[in-house]
């Protein structure tokens, strides 16, 4: 994924000098470790709290903690995303270790996602080639829209696709090149085997631990993750300029931390070699160039929801960003 240096005619993209780009693109094992350990540490802490509270007082009292755990677990997607770019750490091995672990936890095969995401960057907002638009649900009613914003359809879809790869041994989606399809099948089979093993162990031990600290929170967390993901591109232009086809959402420090600074999404798409920890500094440089500016996720979600409704009521098929 190359950094953006040109844009559509009529829009001047803020240039970075080679020296500035090199400085911002420096990757750090320390920063990556601090972010990863803090994120996983919070998951471990909240997970232990869920188990303690549910064991002593009953599962109903642990439901608020499950919502917090859901947010944290679902947003491991950001660890998968950053390591897919190999920018979370300087070390390739650390990128792969955190990437594979995080991807397994959220049910998104890592090698598959890397290839999926590569084409998303190459063809952002191209309805014929951007994988996010190709597989994205296309709601045509309020009920379908609510289901789309729950994220459950998307999780079910990717798990079903993974199972299909594992069982049939075939990969037909266009963003997976022929020479990578055997890898994707092997990966899917490994994931299915490991999930089956964990399920069997839980039954053997008669333990609901994984259900309450992992599975239910992961599903619950999609209600937070999906509106966040829709904010990235929904309603933006279909051009090749990252400054026109992507939205940066200005939000609080806690949300930016959990999301690995990906609310600075224009900045990431324009310069994908720049790691997550340098995106705030990049924002200071290019902020004046950003066309689509979200003002918090509640307001931006209302705007993206309204965008979908306008498109189905006008008779066109909405394509989620």
């Amino acid at each position: 994924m190359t950094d953006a240096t040109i844009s559509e005619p009529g829009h001047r993209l803020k240039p970075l000098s080679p020296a500035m780009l090199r400085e911002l693109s420096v990757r750090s094992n320390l920063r990556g470790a601090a972010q990863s350990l803090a994120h996983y540490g919070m998951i471990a802490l909240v997970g232990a709290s869920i188990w303690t509270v549910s064991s002593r007082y009953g599962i109903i009292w642990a439901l608020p903690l499950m919502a917090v755990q859901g947010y944290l677990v679902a947003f491991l997607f950001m660890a998968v995303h950053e390591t897919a770019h190999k920018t979370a750490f300087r070390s390739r091995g650390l990128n792969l270790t955190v990437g594979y672990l995080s991807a397994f936890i959220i049910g998104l095969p890592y090698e598959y996602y890397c290839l999926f995401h590569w084409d998303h960057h190459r063809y952002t907002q191209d309805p014929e080639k951007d994988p996010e638009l190709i597989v994205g649900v296309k709601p045509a009613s309020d009920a379908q829209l609510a289901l789309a914003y729950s994220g459950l359809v998307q999780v079910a879809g990717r798990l079903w696709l993974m199972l299909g790869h594992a069982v049939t041994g075939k990969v037909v989606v266009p963003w997976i090149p022929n020479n990578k399809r055997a890898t994707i099948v092997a990966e899917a089979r490994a994931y299915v085997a490991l999930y089956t093993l964990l399920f069997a162990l839980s039954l053997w031990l008669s333990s609901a631990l994984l259900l309450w600290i992992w599975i239910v929170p992961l599903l619950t967390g999609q209600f937070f993750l999906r509106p966040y993901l829709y904010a990235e591109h929904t309603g933006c232009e279909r051009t090749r300029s990252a400054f026109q086809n992507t939205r940066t959402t200005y939000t609080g420090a806690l949300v930016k931390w959990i999301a690995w600074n990906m609310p600075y999404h224009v900045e990431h798409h324009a310069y994908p070699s720049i790691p997550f920890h340098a995106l705030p500094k990049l924002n200071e440089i290019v902020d004046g160039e950003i066309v689509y500016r979200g003002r918090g996720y509640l307001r931006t979600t209302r705007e993206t929801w309204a965008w979908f409704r306008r498109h189905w009521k006008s008779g066109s098929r909405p394509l989620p960003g």
Side-chain angles (χ1 to χ4, degrees), residues 277-295:
H277 56 80
L279 292 179
K281 186 173 181 179
L282 177 60
N283 171 262
E284 295 175 1
I285 299 170
V286 303
D287 179 65
E289 301 289 321
I290 296 172
V291 176
Y292 290 95
R293 310 162 69 88
R295 299 298 180 182

Side-chain angles (χ1 to χ4, degrees), residues 54-203:
S54 62
S55 299
R56 292 181 180 178
Y57 307 108
I59 197 65
I60 192 71
W61 294 101
L63 292 180
L65 288 170
M66 284 189 195
V68 175
Q69 183 79 330
Y71 199 118
L72 293 167
V73 171
F75 272 74
L76 281 178
F77 175 83
M78 303 305 164
V80 178
H81 171 268
E82 189 72 15
T83 58
H85 283 273
K86 308 301 185 288
T87 49
F89 302 90
R90 180 186 295 272
S91 163
R92 180 176 176 83
L94 287 174
N95 277 300
L96 293 177
T97 299
V98 172
Y100 278 118
L101 176 61
S102 302
F104 179 79
I105 290 173
I106 66 171
L108 178 62
Y110 181 71
E111 294 293 341
Y112 171 86
Y113 175 74
C114 288
L115 295 167
F116 177 100
H117 194 62
W118 170 266
D119 267 19
H120 168 60
H121 270 263
R122 291 174 66 193
Y123 305 117
T124 304
Q125 291 289 78
D126 182 336
E128 303 298 325
K129 295 181 178 180
D130 183 347
E132 288 195 0
L133 298 185
I134 294 172
V135 304
V137 295
K138 301 170 178 63
S141 69
D142 283 318
Q144 291 178 14
L145 188 55
L147 189 58
Y149 272 81
S150 77
L152 299 178
V153 173
Q154 292 85 346
V155 171
R158 74 191 188 210
L159 291 176
W160 182 254
L161 182 65
M162 177 180 65
L163 185 62
H165 291 163
V167 172
T168 68
K170 296 179 181 179
V171 180
V172 297
V173 290
W175 47 88
I176 306 297
N178 289 332
N179 65 343
K180 292 290 186 179
R181 294 187 175 184
T183 299
I184 299 306
V185 169
E187 178 182 53
R189 288 173 174 170
Y191 273 56
V192 171
L194 287 171
Y195 291 140
T196 302
L197 176 61
L198 288 173
F199 179 68
L201 284 173
S202 294
L203 291 179

Side-chain angles (χ1 to χ4, degrees), residues 30-65:
L30 181 60
R31 298 294 293 269
Q35 179 74 26
S36 302
L37 290 174
H39 199 147
Y40 271 97
M42 287 297 296
I43 289 172
L45 177 62
V46 177
S49 300
I50 290 171
W51 193 243
T52 299
V53 170
S54 62
S55 299
R56 292 181 180 178
Y57 307 108
I59 197 65
I60 192 71
W61 294 101
L63 292 180
L65 288 170

Side-chain angles (χ1 to χ4, degrees), residues 128-317:
E128 303 298 325
K129 295 181 178 180
D130 183 347
E132 288 195 0
L133 298 185
I134 294 172
V135 304
V137 295
K138 301 170 178 63
S141 69
D142 283 318
Q144 291 178 14
L145 188 55
L147 189 58
Y149 272 81
S150 77
L152 299 178
V153 173
Q154 292 85 346
V155 171
R158 74 191 188 210
L159 291 176
W160 182 254
L161 182 65
M162 177 180 65
L163 185 62
H165 291 163
V167 172
T168 68
K170 296 179 181 179
V171 180
V172 297
V173 290
W175 47 88
I176 306 297
N178 289 332
N179 65 343
K180 292 290 186 179
R181 294 187 175 184
T183 299
I184 299 306
V185 169
E187 178 182 53
R189 288 173 174 170
Y191 273 56
V192 171
L194 287 171
Y195 291 140
T196 302
L197 176 61
L198 288 173
F199 179 68
L201 284 173
S202 294
L203 291 179
W204 183 52
L205 296 171
S206 299
S207 173
L209 176 65
L210 295 182
L211 178 66
W212 300 127
I213 71 170
W214 176 25
I215 306 302
V216 170
L218 175 62
L219 297 177
T220 302
Q222 303 308 309
F223 288 84
F224 303 111
L225 179 63
R226 183 51 47 181
Y228 164 89
L229 294 176
Y230 278 148
E232 293 178 342
H233 302 285
T234 301
C236 300
E237 300 299 323
R238 291 178 181 168
T239 74
R240 294 189 61 192
S241 168
F243 286 79
Q244 295 174 316
N245 65 25
T246 305
R247 176 183 289 103
T248 281
T249 301
Y250 295 85
T251 185
L254 181 61
V255 175
K256 287 185 284 191
W257 173 73
I258 294 174
W260 292 54
N261 279 330
M262 279 305 116
Y264 295 116
H265 212 62
V266 170
E267 296 83 342
H268 166 68
H269 264 260
Y271 298 98
S273 74
I274 293 178
F276 70 98
H277 56 80
L279 292 179
K281 186 173 181 179
L282 177 60
N283 171 262
E284 295 175 1
I285 299 170
V286 303
D287 179 65
E289 301 289 321
I290 296 172
V291 176
Y292 290 95
R293 310 162 69 88
R295 299 298 180 182
Y297 281 98
L298 289 177
R299 179 174 174 179
T300 302
T301 297
R302 288 195 296 268
E303 292 171 356
T304 58
W305 182 287
W307 184 89
F308 279 116
R309 296 188 89 245
R310 284 197 305 272
H311 276 68
W312 91 58
K313 288 188 174 183
S314 68
S316 60
R317 287 181 62 82

